[in-house]
Amino acid sequence: MTNDDRTGAFDHLFTDAVREGLGEDGYGSWRAIDAPDAVSLSFGFPYPESFPNDELVAAAEAVFEEEGDRALQYGGGDYSDRLAELVAERERKRGIDCDGDDVVLTNGSTHAIDVVCHTFLEHGDEVFVEAPTFMGALKLFANYGVEITGFENDADGLDVDAVAAELESRAAEGRPLPKLLYTIPTFQNPSGTTLSRDRRERLLDLAAEYDFLVLEDDAYGELRYFGDDVPTLAELDETGRVVRVNTLSKTVAPGVRTGWILADDEILDTVGRMCAGGTNTFTQSVLGRYFAEGTYERNLAEFRENYAERCTHMLDCLDEHMPESAEWTDPDGGFFVWVELPEDIDAEELLPAAADEGVTYLPGEMFFPDDRGANCVRLSFSHVSFEEMDRAVAALARATRSAMAD
Ligand SMILES: Cc1ncc(COP(=O)(O)O)c(C=O)c1O
């Protein structure tokens, strides 16, 4: 249904926040770009050969053999319980001191973020974000009727000095402070940048000083291809202010819809209560079996090599084809490169011409809570072939040059 077809008959029954968002694009609207003949660099899809189909079939069979009906009953079987332990084991490898009791499993990290929003946010609250940031999170925050304030994101991630200056001036003037700061500190979506260790420490100090929570979304954290690890915010956290969400969408498959929240006991307990209705324990059992086999670790090593080649190839294509006046990020991991086209080019307006040339992408504006980013595009290198990447980036370059000539 389009907005023009709406009669508004039920508007008075919606919540204030929902009513305010009526008529605007909602969650998932970015999937509407339709150009079947163009190469799509729009989405953060894992490449399909990375999906462990055979291993998941084998794990499902083993679950049925070993657990029978229990795997399908309310509450699930032992493997679903073990998944939380196995997830915690992985998180310990990232340096976080935790066990299975510190983890609430969710139906993916979008669900995890939503549950955190549901627990903490109400109309009139404020969330700080990196600008640009994950468009899905922006849509979720909007569902809760909160103010969203975006801070610059440079090569070292969120500009924490700018956050500090804003907090300081608000505190001095008695203006309201944010309740939550949402960040994707490692291989950020959409920019691919990583928050430096110094900035991480400073951010946590600010959270303690100005009494807000830090929502750490680490969807790409295990997908490092170059450079050295930086500690997660959860590892550096000494005051329990970090609520960490994560997902298996990028390292197993999005269709398993499994993620988790890791947080301080008191927060986790409350968040767990807001997660009413339970999660998909059958899928969790299959994943628990898959993890217990040790296959995840082996597959991850292969994915990293494969994505590293894709990332390098994307950067080579940009070097080869794009005009000098365009700039782009140089990610050490994740799925995305963020490209800044010459300032007077509007990436949304350019999209039909780019699609005619043979490429689609997500225009930068959708990653901002305000009207910045018009000349930017997010390119995903995660799921197209090298040959498609060549064609797609050459098409983007042609479209850009012809817009520059206009
Ligand atoms: C930063 C970030 N968080 C969360 C998600 C969504 O993950 P899930 O599939 O687990 O909901 C994505 C997916 O693109 C993402 O890029």
Side-chain angles (χ1 to χ4, degrees):
M1 189 177 129
T2 67
N3 280 322
D4 295 342
D5 300 329
R6 300 193 68 258
T7 66
F10 305 108
D11 286 6
H12 60 291
L13 298 176
F14 293 135
T15 66
D16 289 347
V18 170
R19 208 174 309 113
E20 276 170 18
L22 292 173
E24 288 168 19
D25 289 339
Y27 186 89
S29 53
W30 55 87
R31 298 193 189 100
I33 298 164
D34 185 26
D37 295 331
V39 177
S40 169
L41 299 181
S42 301
F43 304 121
F45 292 174
Y47 64 99
E49 301 79 31
S50 72
F51 296 151
N53 300 15
D54 294 343
E55 289 110 317
L56 291 180
V57 169
E61 278 171 1
V63 165
F64 278 121
E65 252 167 51
E66 293 172 38
E67 301 195 329
D69 293 345
R70 269 188 310 129
L72 291 172
Q73 191 52 276
Y74 278 117
D78 295 340
Y79 278 118
S80 66
D81 293 337
R82 278 182 65 191
L83 183 63
E85 288 296 337
L86 293 161
V87 158
E89 198 178 303
R90 289 222 61 79
E91 293 286 46
R92 283 197 297 276
K93 286 195 177 149
R94 307 284 319 282
I96 303 164
D97 179 19
C98 64
D99 57 37
D101 292 341
D102 300 316
V103 169
V104 164
L105 294 172
T106 61
N107 299 324
S109 55
T110 305
H111 179 218
I113 297 166
D114 199 31
V115 175
V116 173
C117 291
H118 195 41
T119 310
F120 289 103
L121 298 182
E122 56 203 336
H123 207 260
D125 284 340
E126 186 176 7
V127 176
F128 280 7
V129 297
E130 289 137 3
T133 189
F134 174 43
M135 67 289 187
L138 289 176
K139 299 290 184 199
L140 287 188
F141 296 141
N143 286 347
Y144 291 84
V146 299
E147 289 291 316
I148 309 173
T149 305
F151 292 85
E152 288 283 325
N153 190 67
D154 62 28
D156 286 329
L158 174 70
D159 182 348
V160 177
D161 279 345
V163 174
E166 178 67 17
L167 290 166
E168 200 180 317
S169 87
R170 287 189 188 201
E173 292 162 19
R175 285 188 290 137
L177 296 169
K179 206 180 238 183
L180 198 79
L181 183 145
Y182 169 72
T183 173
I184 310 156
T186 309
F187 320 132
Q188 204 238 16
N189 179 2
S191 66
T193 58
T194 294
L195 188 66
S196 66
R197 181 181 177 131
D198 287 358
R199 289 190 186 186
R200 287 176 196 233
E201 286 169 351
R202 178 101 197 278
L203 178 61
L204 294 176
D205 288 345
L206 291 173
E209 186 178 348
Y210 294 98
D211 189 26
F212 59 88
L213 295 175
V214 176
L215 178 54
E216 174 180 42
D217 180 346
D218 201 27
Y220 303 92
E222 291 200 292
L223 294 170
R224 173 176 285 284
Y225 321 131
F226 313 110
D228 298 327
D229 280 341
V230 183
T232 63
L233 288 165
E235 178 184 351
L236 297 173
D237 180 24
E238 287 173 359
T239 65
R241 285 176 180 278
V242 173
V243 179
R244 178 175 160 84
V245 296
N246 214 335
T247 179
L248 296 178
S249 285
K250 313 297 174 178
T251 52
V252 178
V256 301
R257 306 306 310 136
T258 298
W260 61 93
I261 303 170
L262 197 148
D264 170 83
D265 287 354
E266 230 168 280
I267 290 178
L268 201 73
D269 230 36
T270 315
V271 159
R273 276 195 284 142
M274 302 309 279
C275 215
T279 50
N280 189 334
T281 50
F282 177 69
T283 306
Q284 288 163 15
S285 299
V286 174
L287 291 166
R289 185 68 167 78
Y290 168 74
F291 267 76
E293 286 284 306
T295 330
Y296 180 80
E297 189 69 48
R298 285 196 296 281
N299 284 349
L300 199 55
E302 187 184 314
F303 302 160
R304 286 191 189 115
E305 272 180 36
N306 194 305
Y307 284 125
E309 286 170 13
R310 284 165 193 271
C311 180
T312 305
H313 192 71
M314 171 64 89
L315 296 173
D316 288 348
C317 290
L318 288 162
D319 271 339
E320 183 180 340
H321 296 295
M322 291 300 283
E324 273 195 7
S325 47
E327 289 180 6
W328 50 89
T329 53
D330 186 7
D332 284 336
F335 282 7
F336 308 108
V337 177
W338 180 251
V339 180
E340 279 185 40
L341 302 176
E343 213 157 294
D344 52 345
I345 294 185
D346 183 311
E348 173 120 42
E349 280 172 17
L350 186 71
L351 195 48
D356 284 346
E357 291 288 354
V359 62
T360 57
Y361 51 78
L362 291 189
E365 234 172 46
M366 71 175 57
F367 300 92
F368 286 82
D370 41 46
D371 56 6
R372 283 177 275 175
N375 65 322
C376 300
V377 304
R378 186 192 75 173
L379 303 182
S380 164
F381 56 78
S382 59
H383 68 105
V384 293
S385 68
F386 281 19
E387 184 271 323
E388 286 171 318
M389 238 188 262
D390 282 323
R391 268 196 289 135
V393 176
L396 177 63
R398 280 196 303 277
T400 305
R401 282 204 172 82
S402 113
M404 285 164 69
D406 282 348

